[in-house]
Amino acid sequence: MRPPKLRHALIRDVFFEGAASLGYMQFVQKAPKISDVARELVGAKVLGAKIADDVLTAILNAASSVEAWGEYAWIGQHESEALLREHPEMIIAVAMPTLCNAPASAIPLLLVRAVDDHRPLNPNPDHPVRLIKDWVEGASRGTRLGVDRRRSLLETTRAWLDSGSEKGVALQVLPLVCSPAFECRGLDPGGGRTVSIRRNVLTEDELEELYCLWSPTLQLLTGMHPTPWEQVFEIIEGWASPSAHTFGNTPEDEYDMMVEKAKLMLADVARIAGGHNGAQYRIRSLARHLHTNVEVSIDPDFETFLPEKEFVPETTMFKQWTKAVQKLAKQWAIQQPRTITPRFARYVEEMAIAKHHIWPDPMGILAGAIAGEVASAVSWAVGLVQEECASEYVFPFLLRAVETREHGADALLSKCAESDVYRRDAAAIILRRTDSSAELIDSILGNLTDAASLVDSECFCGRVPDTNLAHLLRHRDEKIAGAAAMGEWNAQPRASVRKGIEQDWKDAIVRYPARHHEHEYHLSTILAGDTDLGERWLTKRIEERSDSLYLQRNLIEAITKTFNLESRRCMIQQLPGDYCMRTLLCALVGEDVDLYRDILQLPNLRVHHLAPLQRPQSAQWTTMAMVAMEYGYTPGDVAFAARGAIEVRMGKESAAERGWLRFFEDLRNHPDEQLRKVGQAGCERVEPHLKRILQQEHDEEIYGR
């Protein structure tokens, strides 16, 4: 019975209206799906049905339906709290109703679930923090709900921090407390698959109330060590750029208020940001954006890294900037490492806070320039490692120490090789050394998770000497060997291989499995240009029964295009009946009717007999279809094979089905009787499916997806 509310009202009136009501348990026991019963009873309770809580929760527990429990939680605070007490594990599935009705109970459970969830928020609507964000910003403007929800989040997060819980999760949600944004999404009834997104900021009165939450939020943030400046500035930037929340159409009163409040926030932060160059720089940038004056004090050396304007490398401005960085490098290089390395590390952290994105990395340029000037690269590298600097800043010093054979360089290299942070750079240096043993190379690569990527990069840049490259090409790990081969091929001069390693290179290519999309373009170029190598590579994949062949249609077609008839026939004889060989078999057969007859005579390939018919656009399709029927396949088999191909569609599914219907209708009018039967079988298969698709699309247009 539709609509559901009428059905729920009838259940209420018939079964739950006092003494005259009918008994309902007999119907509950006979119902085919207890989950449907639970949802209907919840709907009736929403409309006032007098159902005892213990009876309803017992039915809900028996149903084990998350959807039913979610609908139950929407009834109110009592129901939401009861659900979370009994089934806290359901918090993700019932987040929205419980957040709306019992935020004090729901938010802590979501925070707990967020502790180990490191997924990005935007593509993951079920992320606990994303659920909180949608709840906070989804409150309709002008209803006070927006401010109330943010206040609830602030109070709950303060209690979370006071209890000593994970502060990283608190840092994710605290900016939401002061977020001025309103945003909601939804499907419009009758809108099919159209999603509506409404964005705005809160009303002027709500913004005034929301600003009162800034001070306690800032107090929580600055009470952490180190100060999470990124979250502080995230809040201010949300107020300083009102148009970012409204597709550029912010109401004038709200716009002016937000900008003025942002200026006050900026002044508050300026008072506590002394000694933090990155924060001071960020304050100055925001002050300019807001056309206000805020006094800041930034270390002149730090400002060297931050040009006033963006520039393009190799321009005059870039050269002047590089010269200034190199001048600073000379000044620092003559000082003691123990004095400068802490300062260097602090500058790296402050640059991240400044959020002044320029390329190339100024701290990387500085590290490289200092490494070229210092007397003891080992001392500098040790100092930077002690300061836990990123590997890209340690690498120039480590490389210089090894190249100059400085005392202590080998010990430092070994130490870095044992570190998860610096192992990759140590491996890069080992690959470049002419005196690295095969055992050392194997040892360091065996401890790297991305060894193949590193080998590819080093070979591509031409940094690997001949002896090391030869060893890499013969490496027992085919991925490392293949990465070395691809890197050598793509190095300058392109599409060439050094003399003396040609056979090792070819053997590595043959061993390289090259999963879907992995170097597929370059591999197809290599194998299509060398027929013998292409045959060896495919033969190896056949021996391995590689399932990746099924998805490598473009690569396989590029290789087999150069094969002559005898090569194709010989390879077909080698094929096993595995499903993953279907793509290769179709490429080998192509539109050759004689080869297709050969396949139909091979019983071990019976599973593939009709695979070449999955391309009805082929010029020889009708001939091949008739050959298949000569070998005992029915018109229905042929129609099923033609329609059985996996398709990637754009637009409505019904349009694609109509295309198939036209194809089979044309066959139904073919002069050959057998092909007419194929057309008839195809129409009988497509027509009911098309009818179902049209009904489904019709329902979606009315009721939504």
Side-chain angles (χ1 to χ4, degrees), residues 5-205:
K5 284 192 179 297
L6 176 58
R7 185 168 65 245
H8 299 155
L10 287 172
I11 293 172
R12 176 199 63 194
D13 294 345
V14 172
F15 297 106
F16 301 101
E17 277 297 308
S21 300
L22 296 178
Y24 65 92
M25 288 307 298
Q26 57 178 320
F27 299 105
V28 171
Q29 294 165 359
K30 293 179 181 179
K33 291 180 68 176
I34 190 65
S35 59
D36 290 342
V37 172
R39 297 183 72 175
E40 298 305 321
L41 291 178
V42 169
K45 185 173 179 65
V46 170
L47 297 183
K50 299 172 183 176
I51 309 174
D53 284 345
D54 57 341
V55 173
L56 185 52
T57 54
I59 293 174
L60 285 165
N61 280 320
S64 297
S65 168
V66 173
E67 292 79 9
W69 274 111
E71 292 169 11
Y72 176 75
W74 276 116
I75 296 176
Q77 180 178 352
H78 170 75
E79 289 75 12
S80 291
E81 290 177 344
L83 164 58
L84 294 179
R85 280 195 305 272
E86 194 155 349
H87 294 290
E89 74 281 358
M90 289 186 182
I91 182 60
I92 298 297
V94 299
M96 203 52 64
T98 54
L99 281 169
C100 289
N101 291 328
S105 300
I107 294 174
L109 290 175
L110 288 168
L111 295 179
V112 169
R113 295 290 290 273
V115 170
D116 295 318
D117 194 335
H118 305 296
R119 296 176 296 163
L121 301 190
N122 281 346
N124 295 289
D126 63 336
H127 190 292
V129 176
R130 168 68 184 275
L131 291 168
I132 294 173
K133 180 179 185 293
D134 290 346
W135 169 70
V136 167
E137 296 184 349
S140 298
R141 63 194 302 264
T143 62
R144 285 192 51 82
L145 269 178
V147 178
D148 291 343
R149 289 182 180 181
R150 288 161 171 82
R151 186 175 286 111
S152 294
L153 180 59
L154 174 61
E155 293 168 356
T156 310
T157 307
R158 180 188 286 116
W160 170 270
L161 288 171
D162 289 344
S163 68
S165 299
E166 167 64 39
K167 75 173 184 179
V169 175
L171 288 177
Q172 292 186 68
V173 299
L174 277 174
L176 297 175
V177 171
C178 295
S179 169
F182 157 73
E183 180 175 324
C184 69
R185 308 173 188 82
L187 291 170
D188 293 337
R193 301 181 182 182
T194 302
V195 177
S196 293
I197 301 176
R198 291 189 296 145
R199 298 182 65 186
N200 210 322
V201 293
L202 301 180
T203 64
E204 188 175 1
D205 290 340

Side-chain angles (χ1 to χ4, degrees), residues 290-320:
L290 293 168
H291 305 290
T292 188
N293 293 318
V294 179
E295 186 176 342
V296 296
S297 176
I298 304 175
D299 185 339
D301 284 350
F302 186 78
E303 288 212 78
T304 301
F305 306 119
L306 304 168
E308 290 293 319
K309 299 179 181 178
E310 293 186 8
F311 50 68
V312 177
E314 304 307 322
T315 60
T316 301
M317 185 179 295
F318 172 77
K319 292 176 180 178
Q320 291 174 347

Side-chain angles (χ1 to χ4, degrees), residues 222 227 229 233 266-281 283 295-297 350:
T222 54
T227 302
W229 294 109
F233 288 113
L266 201 60
D268 291 340
V269 173
R271 285 191 287 271
I272 60 174
H276 296 279
N277 289 301
Q280 294 275 337
Y281 178 83
I283 290 168
E295 186 176 342
V296 296
S297 176
E350 295 290 344

Side-chain angles (χ1 to χ4, degrees), residues 491-512:
Q492 295 296 335
R494 293 289 301 278
S496 63
V497 179
R498 296 177 223 179
K499 291 182 179 180
I501 61 167
E502 294 93 337
Q503 191 56 49
D504 287 336
W505 179 83
K506 287 185 177 183
D507 292 343
I509 288 291
V510 170
R511 293 168 55 211
Y512 189 38

